[in-house]
Amino acid sequence: MNISNLLNKEHFSKEELVQLLSCEGDEKTKIFEKAAEVKAKYVGKKVYFRGLIEMSNLCRKNCLYCGIRAGNTNVHRYDLTDEEVVEAAKFAWENRYGSIAIQTGEVNTTDFVERIENLLDKINQATNHELGITLSLGEQTEETYRRWFNKGAIRYLLRIEASNRELYAKLHPNDKHHDFDARVECLKNLRKVGYQVGTGVMIGLPFQTLEHLAEDLLWMQEIDVDMVGMGPYIEHPDTPLFQHKDTLLPINERFNLALKMTALLRIIMKDINIAAPTALQAIDPLGREKAIKVGANVVMPNITPGAYRNDYKLYENKPCIDDAADDCKNCLEARIQLTGDEIGYGEQGNSKHFCQRIANM
Ligand code: 5AD
Ligand code: SF4
Ligand code: FES
């Protein structure tokens, strides 16, 4: 089938998605145009901010690709104080970002669970309960998810990283802390508790094929996520997966694939929120803008206090490391203007998909 006809279909098979992921040139342009059209029609031309607070790089896990894995002793570990987190949240609120996202490695001690509960109270008090709070704090029990939800967190991000379980197994140690089914269970629990649920995958991983990526798209549709953040895999020298670096696609092709994935996801999941991942900008200075043009509608300006940004290095070449929160704000404002979209200042920018599914319940 030719690409224009294919793009008008309502549902796509794995084979069709593989075909679409292989497109280049004029055919690829058609995919990008279709994605832009779907975005304008279903979510509009607004981009929403999530002020990103990288609260701590402490992590109990050992994902084979990640620069802050527990086994990497070359990392300077840090943990922001509650005051620092609240300050950052206040910055987001005063600058009308609408939302924040708090990210850490995975810690699941009772102290940590309680600390987050109290922190949510402090943030909400300091910001008049007006910020939409997203958490990205890894795998936790259903009860923990519920406790945080009850304190006002409304969204949770937990990337599946790779939806094919064999591929997942190659990217993680073979132990009970890195269990594919447990991670899927977490996503189900998050949905049950009532969060807007976000997931995502890495693109251009060792061992990964176009079939895997097509499966990822169908899997995200199947579990009916409300938001997605996905970006290119960028190898980190202090990780076990680095040994496969010679088998990887060239970095610009990983970038290209990530844009096609973003566009196709927008086409198959019309009303979800899709983040333009920072990892894109690590490869191309205009990476996030390009993602916004082909379907992304969320960006996450880094508002972590400057002194810590260099230590939250999941991958190499991470952008904005030397910048202050104000710099990212001005920089992004100029950048988003160039895409022709506008920033949804003062709005939480919740997932339309989520609002719809709640209304239908
Ligand atoms: N390249 C790209 N993304 C990475 N992440 C972790 N390590 C890497 C890497 N080397 C992503 C994972 C994780 C998120 C916090 O960062 O998808 O979920
Ligand atoms: Fe920890 Fe997340 Fe990195 Fe895995 S990807 S090692 S859970 S921070
Ligand atoms: Fe951080 Fe451009 S977004 S400096």
Side-chain angles (χ1 to χ4, degrees), residues 58-70:
L58 293 165
C59 186
R60 70 190 188 108
K61 283 181 129 180
N62 258 313
C63 307
L64 302 179
Y65 43 83
C66 177
I68 64 170
R69 62 201 300 275

Side-chain angles (χ1 to χ4, degrees), residues 65-67 103 159 161 202 232-236 279 314-315:
Y65 43 83
C66 177
Q103 202 168 58
R159 288 184 175 184
E161 316 294 0
M202 285 178 286
Y233 164 68
I234 303 175
E235 65 275 29
H236 191 297
L314 306 158
Y315 46 81

